[in-house]
Structures are given as C-alpha cells and as structure tokens.
Amino acid sequence: MATLLKAVDKIANTASVYCAYLKTLKISATKNLQLLPVKKTSLSHLDYQIFNQDSNKLITQLKGDILYLDPPYNGREYGSYYHLLNTIALYENDFEPKGKAGLRPYKTSKFCLKSEAENVMFDLLQKCDFQHVFLSYNNKGFLSHHTIAEMMQSMGTYRYSKLDYQRFKSQSGSSKPRTTEYLHHLTKF
C-alpha cells in the first residue's frame, strides 16, 4: 500500500493537495506510474501503531513521555486535502465523489469548528498523560496564542518558540502575508 500511495503522489496533477488540481499537466503528471518498493530505513525496526479515531477519545488509552500535536487550525479538514490517497488506502470504490475535487464525505473534526475548538483543545490537553506536550499551531487559527498559553499555564510549565514565514499564495504578484507558526511546549505538573 505504501508503494502505491507514494507512486500515485509522484504523478498527481495537483498543487500539493488533492483539492487543487492543475488545469494543464505538469511534467511529473505525464510520467508513467512506477511501483517501486519503499526502502527500509534505519527506523524500520521501531515498534509503532497507527490509529484512526477521535483524538480526544484515543488520548485516554495512551501514555508516554512526549506528545506532539498538530491539529487543524481552521475550518479546512485535513482529510479533504488528501482524499484520493485516503480512498486508495481505504480501498473503497463505492463512495460518491462530491464537487469539483471529487471529495469523499468526512465527519467534521471539532478542531475545525470555531465554536468547539477551544473546548476540544482544553479537553485533549487535560486528558493527556504525557510529561511533555508539544503543540504546533499558527496565528491564523481559531485559537489565539494567548488562549493556548493560558490553557497550558494552568496545567504546568509553559514555553513557546515561534517562526515567521511567508504564506504560500498561488497568484504571483499578490502580496504575501506573513504567518507565525508557534511551537507551544507544556511540561505537565
């Protein structure tokens, strides 16, 4: 499955995500599909698990030293960006594609709802049984830097670092606004 997903992504005629198809074929999209075995890495001996469920329910079953969180920042579902790869991975050929991008149905994450994002984030942070929690979140999201800082300060020692960068804009010549990406770090009491 990894071989197929990697091969499909190499020839996709998209602008990085699968809801932004290009009108003309880019050079890589004209190439033949090549199924090349995924190479083993030095990390292949590690024990790992993959989950596909609500993070706020799953977190009660997990425990560890370090937790890295990268939830959706706004109303755009991550799944829709990679829906074709998800469809291949799920081996579902009976769903009805919707809209121009051929999206599959998704249950909306509470992180993608402005009215729910703060409560679901606080709940996740409270429930997690990890000594160090790292959260990547930018200044364009539903939750402000201040809100996240207050949440984390109420649960332990809080620090953060930030990185400013230019946002991607597909129209050349348009102004390129800056985005600040925060890496929040909570050391729980």
Side-chain angles (χ1 to χ4, degrees), residues 7 21-22 32-33 43 46 51 71 85 117 125-127 136 140 145 151 157 173 177 184:
Y21 300 103
L22 302 174
N32 291 328
L33 178 72
L43 301 177
L46 294 177
F51 301 94
L85 300 176
L125 292 171
Q126 269 192 317
K127 286 180 181 175
S136 176
K140 305 296 182 190
H145 169 73
M151 281 183 202
T157 304
H184 302 274

Side-chain angles (χ1 to χ4, degrees), residues 106-142:
Y106 284 97
K107 181 178 180 199
T108 302
S109 166
K110 290 183 180 180
F111 288 101
C112 293
L113 302 171
K114 192 171 189 172
S115 63
E116 299 278 345
E118 186 173 342
N119 290 336
V120 75
M121 178 64 74
F122 188 74
D123 180 62
L124 184 63
L125 292 171
Q126 269 192 317
K127 286 180 181 175
C128 71
D129 190 5
F130 288 79
Q131 182 181 2
H132 297 279
V133 180
F134 292 91
L135 169 66
S136 176
Y137 207 86
N138 75 32
N139 66 323
K140 305 296 182 190
F142 290 148

